[in-house]
Amino acid sequence: MDIFLTSRIASDVLGGVTNGVIYGLVALSLVLVWRSTGILNFAQGAMPMMATYVGMIAFGHFFGYWICVVIAILVGFLIGAGTERVLVRPLYGKPEINPVVVMVGFLTVLEAVAAAIWSSTPRSLTTPFSPIDFHLGGKPFALSAFSLYQIVTAIVVMVAVAVLFRFTNLGLQLRASALAPEVSRLLGVRVNRMLTLGWTLSTGVGTITAILVSSNFFTGLTPQVMDGIFAFGFIAAAVGGLDSPVGSIVAGVVIGIILQFVGDYVNSNAIILVALFILIVSLMARPNGVFSVVKARRV
Amino acid sequence: MNRGLSSRRVITTVAAVAAVALSFIVTPSSRDGVALAVLATLTVIGGSVLLSSDLRRAHPVVTRAATSTMAVSVSLVATFFFSSTTNFNLATGAAMAVTLVGLSFLTGVSGQVSLGNGAFMGVGAFAMAIWSNHHSTTPIVVTLLISIVAGALVGLLLGLPATRLRGPYLAGMTLAFAVAFPAILTYFNSWTGGDGGLQLPNAATPPHWLRALYVHGTTSLTSGTLWLTDITLVATGVAFFFMANLFTSRVGRAMRLVRDNEVAAELVGVNLNRARVLAFVVSSSYAALGGALWTFLNNSVTPATYSFALSIVILSVIVIGGIGTIPGALIGGLVYAYSTNVINWITNQTGLNPQGNFASQLNGIIFGGLLIVTMMLAPRGVAGVYYTFRHRRASPGGDVKSPSEETYAEA
């Protein structure tokens, strides 16, 4: 058992899961926005990045890590709600390139503003968890206290979102207003409020992701920290299906594991090339996503 | 009508002769005079074609050829007088305009947008550099065509899934490509030269045919970098001529139908998949030509140029100029060429520290902000505002037609 756990294959799987839950979380936040408002939010990486910067202003001065995390998540909620109200609401019913262009513009502005205020030098957010791998029988195996923190947090967030959507009245209203806005409005659901809530939740999930990513000892917090992660998260969401939360999380984890093997056995520059290849092949085979339940549109 | 035509011929001939005579008087050497005279004559002929409304109605292709010829020859004449900095800016903007018009075509006919055109420029730029390093004797025109083919092939590979995609998947996929592009270049670093990029082997030597036009090869046209600008401008003119025809061709009309009403398009026999792939391939080939021209202008190529940020800048300038329109691409190219100067001017005027964080990010803040504001207030950019304004004036009180109709017909 020990020999297996410290083997190259097991450590690739564990490392892959650690990255994969992050891709899954980004994919989940994209799915939340897509399902509630039918928009692919290209600023889904930059908005949480901003929230993390704001939340971490106090870090190292007066407050500890956990209080700053809470502040960052609250700021993330605010940014999500504000963006939906101000930027996104005028775009409903417009041609589909309009929201794409506006959110790309927002992404650019947020990254530039963050770099203007806090500079592009990475800031390290020291967590209470050590990034050094555990040892088993004298050999390291690819799991540290930090990667456990990352995996557990991701699972908690995913379960919380699932519970909210499946088992609460609010979740029912959220699903109803995404599925049939007119009927929901007639039945007394405040649809507009639900759309705002969808963005709020999504940015909250995104902020937790951004905190996990930038707490990583090796990356730190930079204005562009989420660019690459967003690309992997989008690939996971597209492969799993933009309307399938479970599918996109599963796709995120699977892609994370595959890419870890590619990085270990081939070359770290081949990772994104393989990811792109997976995206192209899966979109050609199943344009609506591997796990999508929606039938292909017929005209 | 017959008499009108013949008197126009007389006027054209007289103007052409006058232009030739003037060219020889103005220029210092007779060789420069020949060059200027050819351009001036082309301008006069182009102008006379454009002034004839009969000809414009009967032969739209001839009209477009005349417009392109005239625009190119006027700007070539101008490059004789501009400083080399201005010429370099103009040529950079012109190559960017080629990329932009490709993106405009994609959006105008399919309603979709690509966030990866910076990377497609990179494909063309590196294809040009790699080919010239292996076959340095290939004529420049052939090398440019090879870069276009390289762009088209990569576009086809990425465009194939696009046949089945709806919604913003295409934008997302091209974004992934743009983010991946630097890593792809590093992966193939034995070809692309890694972080340092590549140099062109025959730096700044004009091709033989250009030198053969001038016996000694020492005139101001072939010395210095003027010929680089001029070849770029000619290539831009040719690219725009083809695009203007493509916009109004049967293919272009069919594609607009696909954008506006897929069901109707399928009913009249348009192949949806082929139309979407074609639009994407055209857009990536144009981007590749733009990138190849940049390599040609700079005599070198570095991977840092073709980052994700370039793709966003491309999107910004075409949205500001007017996405889906041909004039919008020209406006966008100009905006791109002078954006650095304008931003430096703003930095100086506001007294910001030029080395500071804020000044170095001003580019992103302004472009991103303009992207949002333009999309919210005037989704068709400067060109769209102009068309709407002209329609209002043309039919006061009447129905204002959607500017998009005019936009394409006008091109």
Side-chain angles (χ1 to χ4, degrees), chain A:
Chain A
M1 189 64 196
D2 288 5
I3 291 163
F4 174 72
L5 276 177
T6 52
S7 70
R8 195 174 175 185
I9 292 178
S11 74
D12 280 345
V13 171
L14 288 173
V17 171
T18 315
N19 290 334
V21 290
I22 295 290
Y23 305 154
L25 277 182
V26 174
L28 177 65
S29 66
L30 286 172
V31 169
L32 285 176
V33 161
W34 174 261
R35 292 219 338 175
S36 71
T37 53
I39 286 174
L40 180 59
N41 181 9
F42 282 94
Q44 190 60 55
M47 287 155 61
M49 174 279 296
M50 198 62 174
T52 311
Y53 263 111
V54 175
M56 294 301 157
I57 288 176
F59 185 61
H61 292 286
F62 339 95
F63 298 126
Y65 183 78
W66 297 110
I67 294 178
C68 294
V69 166
V70 172
I71 297 175
I73 294 172
L74 291 177
V75 173
F77 284 148
L78 278 180
I79 291 180
T83 306
E84 198 276 339
R85 281 284 157 128
V86 178
L87 276 184
V88 182
R89 192 151 291 185
L91 295 171
Y92 296 140
K94 291 276 166 65
E96 67 193 25
I97 75 157
N98 291 28
V100 171
V101 172
V102 169
M103 293 327 284
V104 170
F106 195 41
L107 153 80
T108 316
V109 170
L110 285 176
E111 285 187 357
V113 167
I117 302 176
W118 293 288
S119 94
S120 302
T121 349
R123 291 156 69 93
S124 63
L125 305 174
T126 323
T127 52
F129 303 102
S130 154
I132 299 164
D133 287 346
F134 291 132
H135 283 244
L136 207 72
K139 280 178 156 183
F141 81 112
L143 209 58
S144 61
F146 178 75
S147 55
L148 268 184
Y149 160 56
Q150 198 163 305
I151 295 172
V152 170
T153 313
I155 293 174
V156 168
V157 170
M158 289 164 188
V159 170
V161 170
V163 168
L164 175 72
F165 272 82
R166 283 271 158 97
F167 302 112
T168 64
N169 190 25
L170 189 66
L172 186 64
Q173 292 185 26
L174 278 165
R175 279 185 292 157
S177 43
L179 213 62
E182 289 309 316
V183 179
S184 316
R185 193 169 282 128
L186 289 175
L187 291 173
V189 178
R190 309 183 77 155
V191 174
N192 279 342
R193 194 169 286 182
M194 291 303 129
L195 299 184
T196 313
L197 196 62
W199 277 71
T200 311
L201 275 178
S202 153
T203 316
V205 172
T207 307
I208 296 173
T209 321
I211 292 169
L212 290 177
V213 171
S214 48
S215 301
N216 190 320
F217 177 75
F218 301 103
T219 49
L221 179 60
T222 63
Q224 275 84 31
V225 71
M226 296 301 283
D227 276 359
I229 306 276
F230 175 85
F232 288 119
F234 165 75
I235 291 174
V239 169
L242 264 178
D243 46 20
S244 158
V246 179
S248 59
I249 290 170
V250 173
V253 174
V254 171
I255 288 175
I257 295 173
I258 294 174
L259 295 185
Q260 189 77 14
F261 274 97
V262 171
D264 189 15
Y265 283 85
V266 187
N267 181 335
S268 64
N269 285 309
I271 291 178
I272 184 105
L273 208 62
V274 172
L276 205 59
F277 180 72
I278 294 176
L279 176 68
I280 291 175
V281 170
S282 96
L283 285 180
M284 281 172 84
R286 294 212 50 160
N288 288 316
V290 177
F291 296 90
S292 177
V293 285
V294 178
K295 292 252 165 55
R297 204 182 94 124
R298 288 216 166 258
V299 283

Side-chain angles (χ1 to χ4, degrees), chain B residues 161-411:
Chain B
T163 56
R164 307 184 60 177
L165 298 186
R166 301 183 51 79
Y169 279 97
L170 186 71
M173 194 179 71
T174 50
L175 176 134
F177 177 54
V179 171
F181 192 65
I184 296 175
L185 288 178
T186 318
Y187 186 72
F188 294 108
N189 60 5
S190 56
W191 288 33
T192 59
D195 287 343
L198 292 170
Q199 293 278 329
L200 289 195
N202 40 2
T205 42
H208 297 296
W209 54 266
L210 192 60
R211 261 189 298 185
L213 281 178
Y214 305 92
V215 186
H216 303 294
T218 51
T219 53
S220 57
L221 178 68
T222 50
S223 65
T225 53
L226 184 57
W227 66 280
L228 294 173
T229 306
D230 286 351
I231 286 187
T232 306
L233 289 177
V234 172
T236 308
V238 174
F240 268 78
F241 169 68
F242 278 111
M243 189 53 93
N245 285 313
L246 199 55
F247 257 86
T248 45
S249 69
R250 200 171 167 260
V251 183
R253 285 199 308 271
M255 287 179 174
R256 278 199 292 288
L257 188 57
V258 172
R259 178 198 60 184
D260 293 336
N261 190 337
E262 284 185 1
V263 184
E266 257 187 329
L267 283 177
V268 297
V270 177
N271 185 335
L272 290 185
N273 291 349
R274 215 170 53 198
R276 290 209 189 98
V277 175
L278 193 63
F280 193 71
V281 169
V282 166
S283 127
S284 46
S285 328
Y286 265 69
L289 175 60
L293 288 173
W294 272 11
T295 301
F296 171 69
L297 272 175
N298 293 303
N299 266 303
S300 64
V301 55
T302 45
T305 315
Y306 300 100
S307 62
F308 177 47
L310 178 67
S311 294
I312 295 197
V313 168
I314 289 174
L315 184 68
S316 309
V317 287
I318 186 62
V319 166
I320 293 165
I323 200 162
T325 70
I326 287 183
L330 284 175
I331 299 169
L334 267 182
V335 170
Y336 179 80
Y338 283 94
S339 59
T340 322
N341 295 22
V342 170
I343 286 170
N344 285 345
W345 179 81
I346 294 176
T347 315
N348 289 335
Q349 290 297 304
T350 49
L352 285 168
N353 172 15
Q355 261 78 51
N357 270 337
F358 191 74
S360 62
Q361 298 301 328
L362 204 56
N363 195 33
I365 296 175
I366 290 179
F367 270 134
L370 280 176
L371 206 48
I372 299 175
V373 171
T374 315
M375 244 321 143
M376 292 283 194
L377 302 180
R380 284 201 170 271
V382 177
V385 168
Y386 170 72
Y387 288 126
T388 318
F389 180 70
R390 224 180 48 172
H391 267 279
R392 288 235 175 87
R393 234 181 24 178
S395 53
D399 277 353
V400 179
K401 258 203 324 192
S402 111
S404 63
E405 298 274 322
E406 176 77 2
T407 310
Y408 305 118
E410 190 70 21

